[in-house]
Amino acid sequence: MKSRELNIVKIAAALVTAAILIAGLYYGRDILIPLAIAFLITFALNPPVTWFVRRGLPRLLATILVMATVVCALLGLGVILGAQVRSIAVELPAYQSTILTKLSDLRQNLKAPGLFDGVLKTVARVQKEVESTNDKPAEGPLPQRVEIVPTPQTPFEQVFAWLVRSAEPLATAGIILIFVFLALLDIGDLRDRLMRLLGGNFHRSTDAVEEAGARISRYLLMQLFVNVSYGVPLAVGLWIIGIPGALLWGAVGAVMRFVPYVGPLIAAIFPIALAFAVDGGWSMLLWTVALIVILELTSNNIVEPLLYGSSTGLSAIALITAAILWTALWGPVGLILSTPLTVCLLVLGRNLPQLRFLDTMLGSTPALDVPARIYQRLIADDADEAVEITNAEIERSSVISFYDAIGIKVLRLASEEYLHNASAEHRLRLASGMDSLLDDIRDDFPPSLSPEVKPSVLCIGGKWEIDALAGKMLAHALAFEGIAAVSQPAASVNADYLANLDLKGADIVCLSYFTPNPAIPVRHACRRLRRRSPNLRIVLALWNAPPELLTDESLAALKADAVVTSVEEAVRRIHRIAAPEEARAAQQAPLPDNDAERVNALKATGVLEGDKREALDALAKRAADVFNTDLAVITTIDKDREYFVGQSGKLPNAITDDTGTLLPMDREHAICNYVVADQETLVVSDIERDPRFADNETIEQWNMRFYAGAPLRTAGGLIIGALCILDAEPRALEENEVALLETMAADVVATITTSDATEEASVKSSPASASATVGQPVPP
């Protein structure tokens, strides 16, 4: 009860706070609008100012130069456009006869009998009757109409009134220019104050400021490109058609596109009206309308998606809602500023935990991940949409990847909600929906396995129907690896079930469990299966098992042959059990087609001579520090060997020389060989769970569980090795961290391919350090 009351209080406080903020934005618009415009202009002009500063120009001179250039460009454009306006104003009286003639023709056409004449006459008659009943004569004398004629102003009063009306916008423009100048001049102090306002966490504040600046600057730059790409063809097209003032209308079209939604419509009125006035016929008007429509379609469907991309990170609904809200608060200026201001709110929501709801409301990223979306659609009894989402994800990757990354997560989510929140109807919808989904996947993505092959793997659900659904996924995934498997219907695995289970032809049994404590039922099941068939191989798929059940000691105690935690691991381990030689050959990294060329490029760098050992050790140490890992190494792959040309520290259990430098190893045992073969970054979250590397004796000696390697790619696109980070604990890398590792790998390549070693490395390098990188045979 107290918790519910506390939530109500929090909601009420949030609503009151939001109301106060909205009221402050509305009543303080006279002050906030100039500040918002100034901030926007500062974001747009800071990149060129920074560009001049980095080339040695003092910041004061750089600021003056950029602002003077912008002001002069605007004044010059204003002069040109003013001349166009005067020219059109002079020619307008000549178009009067054309306009009157067209209007007369339209009037005659409208008076002609038409389809709706009868309807219009009926409406007019009804309206006349209604007016006649309401227009009863009033009693008494009718009121007299009085008109107040103002006293004519003197010329001095007219000039003074004009100056008063002009003073406010001029003063606002002056304030904006002064603020922009001061902000550009001391952008560092402004940035520091913003970070202090955002809080004491400098990492979070820095990310927020940088993200806001990058998104807004990119948005403004892309919008400028989009508007210019619209305005220039518009001006050229209108000039070809013969519209007077084509340059003026092209500039108006480009500028008005800064006003979302209504700006392009307003800009289109002027050239269309002139086309109507200039041409005695209708061809010029039709050509002008066609030109504008074609440019709008091209800009909206091709240019904008190509240039904008995900520059703002806002959803389409958020953009429209923000435009309505800011227009209601600040008028037309709010409509122009709506996108940049909303981007700032989005950045605050992503970087401040208290405002995380803004990211959910405004961001373009889905609020639910794919497994949650599929699960929600299933319990909503909408299996069709769940199938659509599933097919889209499989098209992007593969069936096995879908089962591993999404399918098991859907079932894991179902197992977590099974006893806590799910009702009986929800459970039924999930079970029937998953059956339909998996059947559709089998029909749409059938494996190329011959139907004559008899199943050798039996997949059994341990307890719930969810366990059996995971077994159904695994059986389908195994078929893609050429292993015939069959899944059993859902049932409780007890003594009677196992006694009557048909094991004929089965060499491997895979028991599937989602329960977090499967030790007791697994032990009993394995013991009964061993009694029935001593030669049977048992694989335990423990999707939610605690780490202590995944050790070799626990595996021996459970009387099982292997334990897996993912579909991909299960496929690889079962393949190893069913066809060991074939599996090892299939899981070896293939040689690239350009391997000889790649090896020659490696030798041409001279890195194996050891002259750059110290510099590469420093880069490896930096990588280990940046990613907070136990070890980082820089490896190169020769024809038959992997050489460690840089490392961040010593490994007590590894095979090293007297200086602690890692000795070379056979290429076929090197994880980095997969980086060279695939030519892309490889991330292994848990080496022990990956059958390709779990039995690698060298990695086992290193006592490492996590590996990530980014390829060392030369200017010619050849992969000569990898920058690797390793850790004793399993972990994962975010997409931005993978990109950062690849960037650091590019720095390593730049060091390796430099023609001359740095002076410090040349002085400090010695024969001992050089011989350490050349490598020696690994002792038996």
Side-chain angles (χ1 to χ4, degrees):
M1 188 67 180
K2 290 183 179 180
S3 176
R4 184 177 179 181
E5 293 177 355
L6 184 60
N7 290 333
I8 294 176
V9 171
K10 287 183 178 180
I11 294 174
L15 292 176
V16 172
T17 303
I20 294 174
L21 289 175
I22 293 175
L25 290 172
Y26 179 77
Y27 291 106
R29 60 187 181 275
D30 294 336
I31 299 174
L32 296 176
I33 288 177
L35 291 177
I37 296 174
F39 271 111
L40 190 63
I41 297 175
T42 302
F43 275 118
L45 298 184
N46 185 54
V49 171
T50 304
W51 187 85
F52 282 115
V53 170
R54 289 176 177 175
R55 276 146 187 82
L57 196 67
R59 191 165 190 91
L60 176 61
L61 294 179
T63 303
I64 294 175
L65 178 61
V66 171
M67 293 195 66
T69 302
V70 172
V71 172
C72 291
L74 292 176
L75 290 176
L77 183 61
V79 171
I80 296 174
L81 297 181
Q84 294 268 309
V85 172
R86 286 194 298 271
S87 175
I88 294 174
V90 172
E91 296 175 357
L92 277 179
Y95 307 142
Q96 182 176 0
S97 60
T98 304
I99 297 174
L100 293 177
T101 302
K102 283 190 173 181
L103 291 177
S104 177
D105 293 340
L106 288 174
R107 192 179 300 111
Q108 293 297 328
N109 292 330
L110 291 175
K111 288 181 178 180
L115 177 65
F116 298 101
D117 284 353
V119 177
L120 294 176
K121 288 180 180 179
T122 303
V123 174
R125 188 178 297 112
V126 172
Q127 183 178 3
K128 185 176 180 180
E129 291 295 332
V130 173
E131 291 177 352
S132 64
T133 57
N134 292 333
D135 294 342
K136 294 181 179 180
E139 298 180 358
L142 296 175
Q144 299 295 320
R145 182 176 181 178
V146 178
E147 183 178 358
I148 300 176
V149 180
T151 304
Q153 290 183 329
T154 63
F156 176 78
E157 291 175 340
Q158 292 179 358
V159 171
F160 182 77
W162 181 83
L163 290 176
V164 170
R165 287 194 298 268
S166 303
E168 183 177 354
L170 290 175
T172 301
I175 293 173
I176 291 174
L177 287 176
I178 293 173
F179 185 90
V180 170
F181 179 78
L182 295 177
L184 290 174
L185 191 61
D186 198 4
I187 193 71
D189 179 70
L190 182 62
R191 181 187 61 242
D192 295 343
R193 295 181 185 277
L194 284 175
M195 286 196 292
R196 178 58 67 185
L197 289 174
L198 290 175
N201 189 325
F202 287 136
H203 299 88
R204 191 165 54 203
S205 302
T206 300
D207 290 342
V209 172
E210 289 184 354
E211 184 180 353
R215 286 185 180 274
I216 294 177
S217 297
R218 176 176 170 79
Y219 167 74
L220 293 176
L221 181 62
M222 292 301 103
Q223 189 173 40
L224 178 62
F225 286 160
V226 169
N227 293 1
V228 170
S229 68
Y230 177 86
V232 172
L234 178 63
V236 174
L238 293 177
W239 177 75
I240 295 174
I241 294 172
I243 302 296
L247 178 62
L248 171 64
W249 307 128
V252 170
V255 172
M256 289 303 295
R257 289 184 70 85
F258 281 101
V259 182
Y261 310 114
V262 298
L265 297 177
I266 296 174
I269 293 175
F270 300 104
I272 292 175
L274 269 179
F276 176 81
V278 171
D279 187 15
W282 298 95
S283 61
M284 185 176 288
L285 176 62
L286 295 177
W287 278 110
T288 303
V289 172
L291 173 66
I292 293 175
V293 170
I294 292 173
L295 288 178
E296 283 290 340
L297 292 176
T298 303
S299 180
N300 294 336
N301 297 288
I302 299 177
V303 179
E304 290 185 7
L306 182 65
L307 292 180
Y308 280 142
S310 57
S311 59
T312 62
L314 297 172
S315 65
I317 296 178
L319 285 172
I320 297 175
T321 305
I324 297 173
L325 176 62
W326 288 109
T327 303
L329 292 175
W330 288 359
V333 178
L335 179 60
I336 298 174
L337 299 176
S338 61
T339 298
L341 292 175
T342 310
V343 167
C344 293
L345 294 178
L346 173 66
V347 172
L348 290 177
R350 288 185 173 178
N351 293 277
L352 297 181
Q354 300 86 348
L355 302 177
R356 191 60 53 84
F357 68 94
L358 291 175
D359 184 22
T360 303
M361 294 173 57
L362 305 176
S364 58
T365 55
L368 298 176
D369 58 11
V370 177
R373 289 175 61 200
I374 294 177
Y375 177 74
Q376 192 274 331
R377 287 293 83 203
L378 290 176
I379 63 174
D381 202 15
D382 189 359
D384 292 338
E385 186 174 347
V387 171
E388 291 179 6
I389 299 172
T390 297
N391 291 337
E393 292 298 323
I394 293 177
E395 292 292 342
R396 295 191 188 100
S397 54
S398 66
V399 173
I400 296 179
S401 297
F402 170 80
Y403 286 152
D404 198 42
I406 298 174
I408 292 299
K409 290 184 179 179
V410 173
L411 297 181
R412 185 176 290 120
L413 183 59
S415 69
E416 293 171 355
E417 299 290 332
Y418 188 85
L419 296 176
H420 296 87
N421 300 313
S423 64
E425 185 175 2
H426 290 150
R427 298 181 192 126
L428 177 60
R429 291 177 178 179
L430 175 72
S432 58
M434 281 299 300
D435 277 335
S436 301
L437 187 146
L438 295 180
D439 289 340
D440 286 344
I441 294 177
R442 275 187 168 273
D443 294 338
D444 295 338
F445 304 94
S448 57
L449 189 64
S450 173
E452 299 177 357
V453 179
K454 295 182 179 180
S456 61
V457 180
L458 190 61
C459 300
I460 304 173
K463 181 179 180 182
W464 298 334
E465 190 167 4
I466 296 173
D467 300 333
L469 291 171
K472 196 172 182 179
M473 290 183 186
L474 182 55
H476 189 204
L478 287 170
F480 282 97
E481 200 70 15
I483 302 173
V486 63
S487 60
Q488 291 291 99
S492 296
V493 178
N494 50 34
D496 294 336
Y497 176 84
L498 293 176
N500 297 320
L501 182 63
D502 184 10
L503 297 176
K504 185 179 180 180
D507 299 323
I508 302 171
V509 168
C510 181
L511 296 174
S512 170
Y513 286 92
F514 272 96
T515 176
N517 299 306
I520 295 176
V522 163
R523 186 181 299 111
H524 291 314
C526 290
R527 186 179 302 162
R528 290 183 172 89
L529 287 172
R530 291 292 184 202
R531 290 174 183 171
R532 284 201 56 190
S533 180
N535 296 326
L536 189 67
R537 311 297 294 273
I538 301 175
V539 176
L540 303 177
L542 307 182
W543 312 111
N544 286 331
E548 54 269 18
L549 278 183
L550 305 179
T551 62
D552 293 338
E553 293 79 7
S554 297
L555 188 63
L558 294 174
K559 306 296 183 182
D561 294 283
V563 59
V564 298
T565 60
S566 67
V567 173
E568 188 172 359
E569 181 187 3
V571 170
R572 287 176 176 167
R573 289 197 181 276
I574 292 175
H575 194 189
R576 283 282 185 99
I577 296 173
E581 298 300 328
E582 177 185 338
R584 287 190 179 91
Q587 294 173 10
Q588 286 294 325
L591 286 178
D593 295 335
N594 60 352
D595 196 62
E597 182 182 0
R598 186 193 62 77
V599 172
N600 291 334
L602 170 62
K603 293 180 178 179
T605 63
V607 68
L608 297 180
E609 300 300 326
D611 295 335
K612 300 174 183 179
R613 179 75 199 202
E614 187 171 352
L616 295 176
D617 283 346
L619 291 176
K621 181 65 168 62
R622 176 177 296 178
D625 291 341
V626 167
F627 291 96
N628 192 27
T629 57
D630 295 335
L631 180 69
V633 294
I634 299 172
T635 66
T636 57
I637 303 294
D638 202 343
K639 181 179 180 181
D640 301 312
R641 311 284 281 173
E642 177 187 42
Y643 297 96
F644 299 91
V645 297
Q647 65 186 76
S648 62
K650 298 180 180 180
L651 286 172
N653 298 325
I655 302 176
T656 61
D657 62 9
D658 296 337
T659 64
T661 303
L662 292 167
L663 292 176
M665 62 185 300
D666 291 337
R667 177 177 179 175
E668 63 179 4
H669 296 151
I671 299 181
C672 298
N673 196 29
Y674 289 83
V675 179
V676 173
D678 297 334
Q679 300 187 15
E680 61 183 17
T681 301
L682 172 65
V683 179
V684 184
S685 299
D686 190 350
I687 294 175
E688 288 188 2
R689 304 259 58 86
D690 194 321
R692 295 173 298 175
F693 315 118
D695 300 331
N696 190 310
E697 296 180 359
T698 303
I699 301 300
E700 187 176 355
Q701 287 179 346
W702 290 10
N703 194 27
M704 292 295 162
R705 297 282 299 276
F706 166 78
Y707 168 91
L712 302 181
R713 196 184 309 272
T714 64
L718 301 173
I719 309 301
I720 60 175
L723 169 63
C724 316
I725 53 176
L726 301 100
D727 200 82
E729 296 295 331
R731 58 184 293 182
L733 284 186
E734 302 291 340
E735 290 185 5
N736 60 333
E737 292 177 318
V738 172
L740 180 60
L741 183 62
E742 293 172 349
T743 301
M744 299 186 72
D747 295 337
V748 173
V749 174
T751 301
I752 290 175
T753 56
T754 302
S755 57
D756 297 322
T758 60
E759 181 179 357
E760 180 180 355
S762 298
V763 172
K764 294 186 177 180
S765 61
S766 62
S769 61
S771 64
T773 60
V774 173
Q776 306 162 14
V778 178

